[in-house]
Amino acid sequence: MSGCALFLRQAATAARACWALVALSASRRPLRTSPPSRAFAKELFLGKIDKKGVFPFPEVSQDELNEINQFVGPMEKFFNEEVDSQKIDREGKIPDDTLEKLKSLGLFGMQVPEEYGGLDLSNTMYACLGEIISLDRSITVTIAAHQAIGLKRE
């Protein structure tokens, strides 16, 4: 067989293989079932804001506002007057009386449903109280662990 004939045979074989790959890829189902979405932060850098990803901002009802205001005063007073953050950091332990007071304020069950002894606060209300709780880092971690471990809200 001449070199030219061998070359043509190899070219024909390669062409058949290429067509087989094209046919295979055309018959395969695409991996995505929805159009690709663009990352929110990337869009910000491009000067575009995807408003549906940001708005509507959660609004607090008047009932929620009244309920949360019942907690804010006593909590701020407790954290400003009774919590000694430097002592907690120095000793590496939250005092038992502080833990008991946190328990009496209901802070270990902020998002636990009322039927199980919790306060059943919404995420918005939890975030509002979180601002006060964050006055002490050790207490913040302790309370956050009790809200997160094994507790799932619908």
Side-chain angles (χ1 to χ4, degrees):
M1 184 180 289
S2 72
C4 186
L6 182 62
F7 175 76
L8 290 174
R9 182 179 283 178
Q10 288 176 345
T13 304
R16 280 193 299 275
C18 183
W19 283 110
L21 284 174
V22 169
L24 178 65
S25 64
S27 68
R28 292 175 72 190
R29 190 182 89 188
L31 294 177
R32 292 182 191 258
T33 57
S34 62
S37 60
R38 300 188 70 162
F40 181 77
K42 180 179 180 180
E43 293 297 305
L44 284 178
F45 281 104
L46 295 173
K48 302 173 190 167
I49 297 177
D50 180 16
K51 292 180 182 176
K52 70 179 183 225
V54 179
F55 299 105
F57 189 78
E59 292 186 27
V60 180
S61 69
Q62 189 60 44
D63 291 338
E64 277 186 319
L65 194 58
N66 292 339
E67 187 177 353
I68 200 69
N69 285 334
Q70 293 174 4
F71 293 106
V72 169
M75 281 183 54
E76 282 182 334
K77 181 179 179 189
F78 171 70
F79 275 90
N80 288 327
E81 295 176 8
E82 297 183 40
V83 173
D84 186 355
S85 295
Q86 291 179 351
K87 179 182 175 186
I88 293 171
D89 289 344
R90 204 172 33 252
E91 296 178 1
K93 181 180 185 294
I94 301 172
D96 291 338
D97 61 322
T98 302
L99 291 172
E100 283 300 317
K101 183 66 176 182
L102 293 169
K103 179 182 172 184
S104 69
L105 287 169
L107 299 183
F108 287 107
M110 288 190 284
Q111 292 187 301
V112 174
E114 287 181 14
E115 66 235 34
Y116 300 113
L119 299 176
D120 199 24
L121 300 181
S122 69
N123 288 335
T124 305
M125 293 170 64
Y126 173 63
C128 289
L129 293 183
E131 291 180 33
I132 300 168
I133 295 168
S134 67
L135 293 171
D136 182 272
R137 294 174 302 278
S138 299
I139 291 176
T140 300
V141 171
T142 303
I143 297 296
H146 281 81
Q147 304 307 311
I149 298 174
L151 181 66
K152 297 290 180 192
R153 289 194 54 101
E154 296 176 19

